[in-house]
Amino acid sequence: MQKHLLGDLKHVSLSMFRKDFIGIFHGSISARVEQNKFLINKKNTIFDDVNDEDFISLRSNKDYRWKEASQDADIHLNIYQNINEAKYICYAMPPFLTAYSLNHESIVPQDYFGSMKFEAIPIYDPKQFEDWYERADIEIYRYLKEAKTNVIVIKGYGLYVYDRDITQLAKTIALLENSCKLLYYSSKFDKGKR
């Protein structure tokens, strides 16, 4: 079971690295193994050449292994503990989506594929970044739970997505990034017409 999950995490994280959704200094991906156990990348993982040793198994009771884990581990843990449907979680920072979040309050896809899956995605404003990591683990899971959604787009930070299927998780990120890219290009074309 754990070997299968590791294979999925390695495959999808490499694909997302190649698309610039996760990078050398940002991004995390995890999979629930049991009720109180999950796999997550280590804090120094470079996603273009991941191997089994780049992931660590964590339990909800914190021990020495937590020091090696991604700085996002607490956020992943709170999502797993509070949202039963979460089997896989990813924090990504796709460039077009993150840039779009800086100047908008929601993402309303105008392209066919984006609009078939999403009506409008509100953009969560953390207000200040100085203490964001002190608040993020609670604010993110609460937002996901209260809004009854598996996606949170955070202004200037990126997005968290959870899903029961890792392929669907990756597709969600790709669809939102593509929609933001198309919104950006269409706004440039509109300006060129004037």
Side-chain angles (χ1 to χ4, degrees), residues 1 163 173:
M1 170 80 168
D163 210 301
I173 296 169

Side-chain angles (χ1 to χ4, degrees), residues 104-123:
H104 297 87
E105 293 181 6
S106 66
I107 300 169
V108 181
Q110 302 296 308
D111 62 292
Y112 174 79
F113 294 105
S115 65
M116 293 305 292
K117 177 144 173 116
F118 304 104
E119 290 180 19
I121 306 270
I123 295 172

Side-chain angles (χ1 to χ4, degrees), residues 103 183-194:
N103 298 315
L183 287 167
Y184 168 77
Y185 286 133
S186 70
S187 72
K188 294 297 175 196
F189 290 132
D190 285 345
K191 287 179 184 175
K193 289 179 183 176
R194 294 178 193 154

Side-chain angles (χ1 to χ4, degrees), residues 101-164:
S101 75
L102 293 171
N103 298 315
H104 297 87
E105 293 181 6
S106 66
I107 300 169
V108 181
Q110 302 296 308
D111 62 292
Y112 174 79
F113 294 105
S115 65
M116 293 305 292
K117 177 144 173 116
F118 304 104
E119 290 180 19
I121 306 270
I123 295 172
Y124 183 81
D125 186 353
K127 306 285 189 238
Q128 59 196 35
F129 287 123
E130 293 81 22
D131 62 349
W132 173 238
Y133 264 96
E134 295 165 24
R135 300 179 287 122
D137 60 326
I138 293 174
E139 287 184 33
I140 290 171
Y141 95 79
R142 277 190 183 158
Y143 177 90
L144 293 168
K145 196 162 182 143
E146 289 169 9
K148 296 181 174 130
T149 182
N150 68 327
V151 177
I152 179 174
V153 176
I154 303 157
K155 182 178 183 174
Y157 178 75
L159 80 159
Y160 267 88
V161 178
Y162 74 81
D163 210 301
R164 295 207 59 75

Side-chain angles (χ1 to χ4, degrees), residues 2-185:
Q2 193 160 313
K3 203 72 170 159
H4 169 72
L5 292 174
L6 274 171
D8 287 347
L9 291 172
K10 290 189 301 187
H11 174 74
V12 170
S13 65
L14 174 59
S15 177
M16 287 198 281
F17 179 86
R18 289 177 175 161
K19 294 284 188 184
D20 201 23
F21 297 169
I22 56 178
I24 296 171
F25 300 111
H26 61 271
S28 56
I29 190 166
S30 69
R32 186 194 306 250
V33 178
E34 298 168 6
Q35 183 61 30
N36 292 311
K37 182 179 176 184
F38 64 100
L39 293 168
I40 190 167
N41 59 283
K42 292 182 179 177
K43 62 182 164 190
N44 295 322
T45 300
I46 298 174
F47 290 100
D48 69 334
D49 188 26
V50 291
N51 55 52
D52 290 359
E53 290 75 38
D54 289 314
F55 290 90
I56 192 162
S57 177
L58 299 177
R59 293 197 173 273
S60 55
N61 54 331
K62 295 185 179 180
D63 58 19
Y64 67 94
R65 290 176 292 182
W66 279 78
K67 291 180 183 175
E68 290 183 63
S70 165
Q71 68 178 356
D72 304 323
D74 280 317
I75 298 168
H76 289 245
L77 173 65
N78 273 341
I79 293 171
Y80 286 130
Q81 286 183 326
N82 292 284
I83 302 173
N84 290 332
E85 300 82 41
K87 172 72 175 169
Y88 297 95
I89 300 170
C90 181
Y91 160 59
M93 195 177 181
F96 282 91
L97 178 140
T98 306
Y100 192 87
S101 75
L102 293 171
N103 298 315
H104 297 87
E105 293 181 6
S106 66
I107 300 169
V108 181
Q110 302 296 308
D111 62 292
Y112 174 79
F113 294 105
S115 65
M116 293 305 292
K117 177 144 173 116
F118 304 104
E119 290 180 19
I121 306 270
I123 295 172
Y124 183 81
D125 186 353
K127 306 285 189 238
Q128 59 196 35
F129 287 123
E130 293 81 22
D131 62 349
W132 173 238
Y133 264 96
E134 295 165 24
R135 300 179 287 122
D137 60 326
I138 293 174
E139 287 184 33
I140 290 171
Y141 95 79
R142 277 190 183 158
Y143 177 90
L144 293 168
K145 196 162 182 143
E146 289 169 9
K148 296 181 174 130
T149 182
N150 68 327
V151 177
I152 179 174
V153 176
I154 303 157
K155 182 178 183 174
Y157 178 75
L159 80 159
Y160 267 88
V161 178
Y162 74 81
D163 210 301
R164 295 207 59 75
D165 180 283
I166 196 163
T167 304
Q168 287 304 119
L169 179 143
K171 283 181 183 179
T172 297
I173 296 169
L175 276 173
L176 284 171
E177 173 68 351
N178 193 56
S179 290
C180 289
K181 186 187 300 185
L182 293 171
L183 287 167
Y184 168 77
Y185 286 133

